[in-house]
Amino acid sequence: MPVRLDRSSSDFADRFAAFLATKREVSADIENATRAIVNDVAARGDLALIEATRKFDRLDLDASRLRITPAEIDAAVKACDAVTLEALTFARDRIESFHRQQLPKDMRFTDAQGVELGWRWSAIDAVGLYVPGGTAAYPSSVLMNAVPARVAGVERVVMVVPSPDGKLNPLVLAAAHLGGVSEIYRVGGAQAVAALAYGTATIAPVAKIVGPGNAYVAAAKRLVFGKVGIDMIAGPSEVLVIADRTGNAGWIAADLLAQAEHDASAQSILITDDAALADDVERAVETQLKTLPRAQIARASWDDFGAIILVNKLDDAVALANAIAAEHLEIMTSDPEAFSLKVRNAGAIFLGPHTPEAIGDYVGGSNHVLPTARSARFSSGLGVLDFMKRTSILKCGPDQLRALGPAAMTLGKAEGLDAHARSVGLRLNLP
Amino acid sequence: MPVRLDRSSSDFADRFAAFLATKREVSADIENATRAIVNDVAARGDLALIEATRKFDRLDLDASRLRITPAEIDAAVKACDAVTLEALTFARDRIESFHRQQLPKDMRFTDAQGVELGWRWSAIDAVGLYVPGGTAAYPSSVLMNAVPARVAGVERVVMVVPSPDGKLNPLVLAAAHLGGVSEIYRVGGAQAVAALAYGTATIAPVAKIVGPGNAYVAAAKRLVFGKVGIDMIAGPSEVLVIADRTGNAGWIAADLLAQAEHDASAQSILITDDAALADDVERAVETQLKTLPRAQIARASWDDFGAIILVNKLDDAVALANAIAAEHLEIMTSDPEAFSLKVRNAGAIFLGPHTPEAIGDYVGGSNHVLPTARSARFSSGLGVLDFMKRTSILKCGPDQLRALGPAAMTLGKAEGLDAHARSVGLRLNLP
């Protein structure tokens, strides 16, 4: 049974705080093991990568077999079902259109003193994309990571994907092909992250690594952070549905279960001001669970981390939603647009009854890589800007240096940095 | 003596690669010590914070004395020299104007299918700003961190600054006052980072922590990353000057030394196609070092990490500059603007002979918190976007769901996520 909270009960504040503090992930102590793998690949390159792949993926490779060939990719594409390929292409096109809107503009302006200021955006040269193997191999995630990188203008998009026992999902390779990935290597785990960060004889290093992975991958990304850029560390997925009496219980239940089926650590939350709707949703969840293929996972998630929170009035849900800072927020109220304007912390908002989150997962066009575990309080979903960087530009002539220089000299001296002051003073003939 | 490389020599590639790989920072093994401090503050709050402050800063506080009072801030402002305060205010105003230009626009559009898409930017609720104590206490850095946060709309800007033996730099407090900092606490080190991330009875937690610090502060930021957001881990500062025969050797030498005086680990590099200029700069550095107050530090930096690289033609400098990816790039050539367009990797570019980097450090208006240690290959200087996050918005009506739904159902089923497919199918009466 999910937890049930009532905002009007006297112990609500404590129970809500405890609910927010619930840890959904066990963080095993794997840092030392990960560090050993990363250091080994940094030191011994391909050899260490091949040994780790033999050990963890039970796959014997030599350096020439690390890279997946164009012929193998073609074969994978041909092995895919035509309708699925068409849906992937449809998704790719929509993701590309949406992300094109995110391309930033350069800026250049001259201020009142005549100083020229501004900045220029440019793409990162090379990006690594980690794709998990096995059951968590989602072709849609390949698109969500690769397409924004290509839209940003990244020239080398290098994908790594483990193939345990030699098995690879053809749809993942098809998505890489559609997404414009430049190179694919059949390696995974901490060893693949290390290869991307440090480079090996076969895999040239990249400047940033993105994409989800298991705890070893996350730990490896943390370790190489600084040497290369990384995206956020993804946690288990979550949805918050806010509904009033206009909500359709069956649809809401379906959305809560769509989240819950991801992972036993996923979290589905309903906040409503309608106790009858809450009951109806809870019943509908039970009914729908009966015929769900991944019922066992969804059941575990719903029982362990699910929640239904009753509020007296819908406005009380605003503060709760901002505290929860959900990765996905569905609003099914009489005026979803107006309500959404009050919410500051959410990865993505899905407005109205006809926007189930699954649309955003696949074909909406916006990115499904979104901040989890309350990190929407301080971070954003993946986007084109994550594959670019900004160089600022400053240009003074002699007049501008005369106008700005004395203040810079004052501050340099105040900070005990006389060479700073001197670099200005020399040009102005000032002591 | 700085290293001297000649691009036309046969071993240049190897020597340049070795130069790029030089580590300028010793990373002591302090992670376990830091983890203990962070966990203690997370568990025991104020008490642990006060004990650590007594131990590391030799300062006895009780909870009521953690926060610096408005009266103390007023007194500090009054203790500052008027000319310096005026320069700080001038800097503040220019930083504020520049960063206002970075405020992002929300986006909302309707595509051909009638789907409404877009995103909304919002400020992070509360941000922590770490300010080092002692010699590295730079009022200019307080402005560079606090002003963009306020421009972004952050409501709570919480500053922590250690006061070893009770000493505090009044200019740092004055800068905090001018920069719009909301709360200041006299604590530092890993314990202050932990207090900001986890909160204590006295210090409410923040959602993101920015600002430079020593190795313990950097390690603590790494540890709390995920719980809160963090900015980049700053390394020692560096400048790359690219000059042709139009360069003024004395000015270039002054700029190289302005970088070198920061820190013995700082790095100053000159690339030129003019061997005579290279010689002149090297001589000018020696001359200027004789009268520099921080000559010992600057000398160590220049001898250990300084470099002069000769190229046959200026265009050869482009690839080197992109590989070095300098925090600061000064271009003093006959056409600096044209040259700058070829450089992709740099934190900030300073164009022409009248734009010494020190102007950007203080009063240019652009941010002086910039990516170091080659991280300009994948990251940007601090800006308004670092204090905001983006929520994406998706809205379908019944027609749009009919248009997009089937492809989403196909992909959901292909990924084995039947509840995803069902959440769409239920609404469309599709199986």
Side-chain angles (χ1 to χ4, degrees):
Chain A
M1 295 289 287
V3 64
R4 194 137 175 177
L5 304 176
D6 185 336
R7 199 182 169 285
S8 60
S9 69
S10 60
D11 62 350
F12 176 81
D14 287 347
R15 290 191 65 199
F16 184 68
F19 171 73
L20 277 187
T22 309
K23 271 204 129 170
R24 287 185 284 142
E25 270 189 314
V26 189
S27 51
D29 186 18
I30 56 165
E31 199 180 291
N32 288 335
T34 307
R35 195 188 297 271
I37 298 170
V38 169
N39 289 345
D40 193 26
V41 173
R44 295 196 302 131
D46 280 345
L47 230 66
L49 183 60
I50 288 167
E51 283 176 21
T53 302
R54 188 179 305 133
K55 182 173 170 188
F56 297 112
D57 294 341
R58 298 160 304 280
L59 183 67
D60 243 322
L61 298 173
D62 56 41
S64 71
R65 287 262 302 147
L66 285 172
R67 183 163 176 180
I68 296 179
T69 64
E72 288 175 284
I73 297 167
D74 277 354
V77 173
K78 289 208 178 75
C80 293
D81 167 61
V83 175
T84 311
L85 269 187
E86 202 182 319
L88 263 185
T89 308
F90 180 73
R92 192 268 317 267
D93 293 345
R94 290 191 56 88
I95 296 165
E96 189 174 321
S97 303
F98 179 86
H99 286 83
R100 283 208 181 286
Q101 306 277 349
Q102 289 185 339
L103 276 166
K105 286 197 175 50
D106 292 345
M107 172 65 105
R108 190 74 175 260
F109 60 97
T110 305
D111 72 9
Q113 277 83 18
V115 181
E116 290 183 50
L117 298 138
W119 55 83
R120 210 155 58 209
W121 289 93
S122 56
I124 296 175
D125 292 342
V127 167
L129 162 51
Y130 191 93
V131 176
T135 53
Y138 293 138
S140 59
S141 292
V142 174
L143 292 180
M144 292 292 178
N145 281 278
V147 172
R150 298 294 300 188
V151 168
V154 175
E155 287 198 10
R156 266 185 82 221
V157 179
V158 184
M159 180 170 130
V160 292
V161 55
S163 66
D165 302 307
K167 289 194 187 75
L168 259 176
N169 180 349
L171 276 175
V172 163
L173 295 187
H177 177 69
L178 286 170
V181 167
S182 341
E183 303 161 26
I184 312 177
Y185 298 92
R186 61 183 109 239
V187 291
Q191 60 272 21
V193 173
L196 289 170
Y198 290 94
T200 71
T202 303
I203 306 179
V206 301
K208 184 165 184 172
I209 301 174
V210 301
N214 64 19
Y216 288 88
V217 171
K221 281 167 70 180
R222 245 179 223 272
L223 284 173
V224 300
F225 172 50
K227 168 82 181 161
V228 296
I230 61 168
D231 61 349
M232 65 193 97
I233 306 286
S237 198
E238 73 240 355
V239 71
L240 167 61
V241 180
I242 297 179
D244 62 15
R245 61 184 180 75
T246 67
N248 177 315
W251 299 1
I252 294 170
D255 295 358
L256 296 173
L257 285 174
Q259 198 61 43
E261 78 170 338
H262 265 294
D263 186 334
S265 307
Q267 183 165 54
S268 303
I269 308 169
L270 167 67
I271 302 182
T272 181
D273 60 352
D274 183 350
L277 180 75
D279 292 340
D280 291 347
V281 168
E282 209 168 341
R283 268 190 300 270
V285 165
E286 293 303 322
T287 308
Q288 294 183 23
L289 267 172
K290 285 180 190 144
T291 53
L292 197 63
R294 291 167 71 96
Q296 206 179 347
I297 294 169
R299 158 71 68 198
S301 157
W302 179 240
D303 282 355
D304 293 347
F305 302 115
I308 296 179
I309 303 176
L310 267 182
V311 290
N312 281 328
K313 51 185 201 302
L314 219 52
D315 260 355
D316 288 341
V318 173
L320 305 184
N322 281 326
I324 292 169
E327 182 189 12
H328 308 104
L329 170 61
E330 293 188 354
I331 305 179
M332 296 191 235
T333 61
S334 55
D335 189 349
E337 188 84 41
F339 187 89
S340 81
L341 293 173
K342 301 174 195 166
V343 179
R344 290 187 317 282
N345 298 341
I349 298 180
F350 303 84
L351 292 171
H354 295 96
T355 320
E357 190 238 300
I359 291 294
D361 281 345
Y362 294 119
V363 293
S366 50
N367 210 292
H368 81 196
V369 180
L370 294 165
T372 57
R374 304 186 67 215
S375 63
R377 292 173 301 128
F378 54 81
S379 64
S380 312
L382 196 70
V384 168
L385 293 186
D386 293 301
F387 298 100
M388 306 186 77
K389 62 266 183 334
R390 197 181 60 232
T391 298
S392 66
I393 316 269
L394 189 61
K395 184 179 184 181
C396 293
D399 293 345
Q400 289 73 46
L401 189 61
R402 253 189 303 278
L404 270 56
M409 292 177 70
T410 299
L411 292 172
K413 287 174 186 165
E415 292 186 350
L417 298 175
D418 293 78
H420 280 62
R422 188 190 281 177
S423 72
V424 176
L426 259 186
R427 287 159 160 99
L428 296 175
N429 289 314
L430 290 174
Chain B
M1 294 291 285
V3 63
R4 193 138 175 177
L5 304 177
D6 185 335
R7 199 182 169 284
S8 61
S9 68
S10 59
D11 62 349
F12 176 79
D14 286 346
R15 291 191 65 199
F16 184 66
F19 171 72
L20 277 187
T22 309
K23 272 201 128 170
R24 287 185 283 142
E25 269 189 314
V26 189
S27 51
D29 186 16
I30 56 164
E31 200 180 290
N32 288 335
T34 308
R35 196 189 297 272
I37 297 169
V38 169
N39 289 345
D40 193 27
V41 173
R44 296 195 303 131
D46 279 346
L47 230 67
L49 182 60
I50 288 167
E51 283 176 21
T53 302
R54 188 180 306 133
K55 181 173 172 190
F56 297 112
D57 294 341
R58 298 158 305 279
L59 182 65
D60 244 320
L61 297 174
D62 56 41
S64 73
R65 286 261 303 146
L66 285 172
R67 181 161 177 180
I68 296 178
T69 64
E72 289 175 283
I73 297 167
D74 277 353
V77 173
K78 289 208 178 78
C80 293
D81 166 63
V83 176
T84 311
L85 268 187
E86 203 182 319
L88 264 186
T89 308
F90 179 72
R92 192 269 317 267
D93 292 345
R94 291 191 56 87
I95 297 165
E96 190 174 322
S97 303
F98 178 85
H99 285 83
R100 283 208 181 286
Q101 305 277 350
Q102 290 186 337
L103 277 165
K105 286 196 174 51
D106 292 346
M107 171 66 103
R108 190 74 175 260
F109 59 99
T110 305
D111 72 9
Q113 277 82 20
V115 181
E116 289 184 51
L117 298 137
W119 56 82
R120 210 155 58 209
W121 288 92
S122 56
I124 296 175
D125 291 343
V127 167
L129 162 51
Y130 190 93
V131 177
T135 54
Y138 294 139
S140 59
S141 292
V142 174
L143 293 180
M144 292 291 179
N145 281 278
V147 172
R150 297 296 299 188
V151 168
V154 175
E155 287 198 10
R156 267 185 80 221
V157 179
V158 184
M159 181 170 130
V160 292
V161 55
S163 67
D165 302 307
K167 289 197 186 73
L168 259 176
N169 181 348
L171 276 175
V172 163
L173 295 187
H177 177 69
L178 286 170
V181 167
S182 341
E183 303 161 25
I184 312 177
Y185 299 92
R186 62 183 107 237
V187 290
Q191 60 272 21
V193 173
L196 289 170
Y198 291 93
T200 71
T202 303
I203 306 178
V206 301
K208 184 165 183 171
I209 301 174
V210 301
N214 64 19
Y216 288 88
V217 171
K221 281 168 70 181
R222 244 178 223 273
L223 283 173
V224 300
F225 171 49
K227 169 82 182 160
V228 298
I230 62 169
D231 61 348
M232 65 194 96
I233 306 286
S237 199
E238 72 240 355
V239 72
L240 166 61
V241 179
I242 296 179
D244 62 15
R245 63 185 178 73
T246 66
N248 178 314
W251 298 2
I252 293 170
D255 295 357
L256 295 172
L257 286 173
Q259 198 61 42
E261 78 170 338
H262 266 293
D263 186 335
S265 307
Q267 183 165 54
S268 303
I269 308 169
L270 167 67
I271 302 182
T272 181
D273 59 354
D274 184 349
L277 180 75
D279 292 340
D280 291 347
V281 168
E282 209 169 339
R283 269 191 300 269
V285 165
E286 293 304 320
T287 308
Q288 294 183 23
L289 267 171
K290 285 179 189 144
T291 53
L292 197 62
R294 291 166 71 97
Q296 206 179 348
I297 293 169
R299 158 71 68 198
S301 157
W302 179 240
D303 283 354
D304 294 346
F305 302 114
I308 296 179
I309 304 176
L310 268 181
V311 290
N312 282 328
K313 52 187 198 302
L314 218 52
D315 260 355
D316 288 342
V318 174
L320 306 183
N322 281 326
I324 291 168
E327 182 189 12
H328 307 103
L329 170 61
E330 292 188 355
I331 304 178
M332 295 191 235
T333 62
S334 55
D335 189 349
E337 188 84 41
F339 187 88
S340 81
L341 293 173
K342 303 175 195 165
V343 179
R344 290 187 317 281
N345 298 341
I349 298 180
F350 303 85
L351 292 171
H354 295 95
T355 320
E357 190 237 300
I359 291 293
D361 281 345
Y362 294 118
V363 293
S366 51
N367 210 293
H368 81 196
V369 180
L370 294 164
T372 58
R374 305 186 66 217
S375 62
R377 292 173 301 128
F378 54 81
S379 64
S380 312
L382 196 70
V384 168
L385 293 187
D386 293 301
F387 298 100
M388 306 186 78
K389 62 264 182 338
R390 197 182 59 231
T391 297
S392 67
I393 316 269
L394 189 61
K395 184 180 184 181
C396 293
D399 294 345
Q400 290 72 46
L401 189 60
R402 255 189 302 279
L404 270 55
M409 292 177 70
T410 298
L411 292 172
K413 286 174 186 164
E415 292 186 350
L417 298 175
D418 293 77
H420 280 63
R422 188 189 279 177
S423 72
V424 176
L426 259 186
R427 287 160 159 99
L428 295 175
N429 289 315
L430 290 173

